[in-house]
Amino acid sequence: MKFLFSHKEKNQYAARNPQYASAITYSVLRSFPKLLLALLALPLLLSCSSGDSSKSKPTEPLERLDPTSAALYPARQKATANDFTVTLMNGDPFQLSGQKGKVVLMNIWATWCAPCADEMPDFVDLYEEYRDEGLVILGVSIDEQGRSVVKPFMEKFNVTYPMFIDDGTIMEKYGPTMGIPTTYIIDKQGDLRYFSVGALTKKELEPRLKELLAENAEA
């Protein structure tokens, strides 16, 4: 697994966005077993890292375009996003590596998370506006009740973008998170470009997505 965003950087999100504390706490408690394993593995990860970690500096967030939005952090290094293959709620297969040539916004969320509900209408707007230009939005629900709560929620918010109820496949590769909503943005080459914890807005995302959509897939 490639660690493009450090735990320190994820903690910075929590500090900058105290309104998400309850969701963050709940998410951490639910993912405690994986979090504990990650902490136990930390010495090994540090021993395998190259260079002097004491001199490394945390990645600074992008300048916010919307003060009401969570901040976006750029990836510290260019690396391919971890691939996965899942079956969407509508029965269609979805493979991340099969989306090359498109920009993928992957949003990890849950129906009980108020900030997740806040950002969902903006995601729907962005998807409807830019899907024909190559934008893919993948919702990843971590609701333990599954379809019985996710389907009514999608209908309430008129969600039209692909949705997957995680069975551990996504969190195995992209968790544990410091909270939800957590969003990853992957460029046309399949590289992780941005990461965020907290509710994002259309005003914050749209210019970033338009830049990625304008990039050459072979760059």
Side-chain angles (χ1 to χ4, degrees):
M1 179 176 181
K2 299 178 177 66
F3 292 86
L4 303 184
F5 304 95
S6 69
H7 288 292
K8 182 175 181 180
E9 289 163 352
K10 291 183 179 181
N11 285 332
Q12 286 178 331
Y13 277 108
R16 291 172 184 265
N17 298 278
Q19 64 268 42
Y20 308 121
S22 60
I24 289 171
T25 301
Y26 190 79
S27 177
V28 170
L29 289 175
R30 291 180 62 173
S31 60
F32 181 75
K34 287 185 178 181
L35 184 61
L36 180 59
L37 287 174
L39 291 173
L40 290 173
L42 186 59
L44 177 60
L45 293 173
L46 291 177
S47 66
C48 293
S49 63
S50 61
D52 185 355
S53 61
S54 65
K55 295 181 181 180
S56 64
K57 296 180 180 179
T59 302
E60 290 297 320
L62 300 178
E63 182 179 356
R64 291 197 202 193
L65 303 176
D66 182 355
T68 67
S69 173
L72 279 169
Y73 275 42
R76 290 186 296 168
Q77 61 187 35
K78 184 175 181 178
T80 302
N82 293 317
D83 194 22
F84 58 83
T85 301
V86 298
T87 300
L88 303 174
M89 284 185 63
N90 64 4
D92 291 341
F94 182 98
Q95 184 174 17
L96 182 61
S97 60
Q99 308 306 311
K100 286 189 177 181
K102 300 179 180 180
V103 174
V104 179
L105 184 154
M106 183 172 70
N107 177 248
I108 301 174
W109 70 285
T111 58
W112 45 261
C113 163
C116 300
D118 290 342
E119 68 181 356
M120 196 161 282
D122 281 3
F123 286 167
V124 172
D125 286 348
L126 286 166
Y127 182 65
E128 290 301 320
E129 189 168 350
Y130 294 101
R131 62 188 297 182
D132 291 339
E133 297 182 31
L135 175 64
V136 175
I137 295 182
L138 174 65
V140 179
S141 164
I142 60 171
D143 285 278
E144 294 179 352
Q145 299 91 334
R147 182 180 290 268
S148 65
V149 295
V150 175
K151 190 173 186 294
F153 197 90
M154 291 178 64
E155 292 172 350
K156 177 181 177 181
F157 287 92
N158 298 312
V159 176
T160 53
Y161 52 81
M163 188 66 63
F164 170 65
I165 300 174
D166 193 30
D167 56 3
T169 301
I170 304 297
M171 292 302 288
E172 180 70 26
K173 295 176 180 289
Y174 290 88
T177 65
M178 286 301 299
I180 59 170
T182 290
T183 300
Y184 296 93
I185 300 178
I186 299 153
D187 67 17
K188 290 182 177 181
Q189 299 178 70
D191 294 332
L192 264 174
R193 294 288 289 270
Y194 301 114
F195 166 90
S196 181
V197 172
L200 290 162
T201 65
K202 182 177 180 180
K203 182 178 179 180
E204 184 69 36
L205 281 169
E206 189 169 26
R208 324 294 192 189
L209 293 174
K210 288 175 71 173
E211 288 178 1
L212 294 179
L213 289 167
E215 289 182 354
N216 189 328
E218 303 300 325

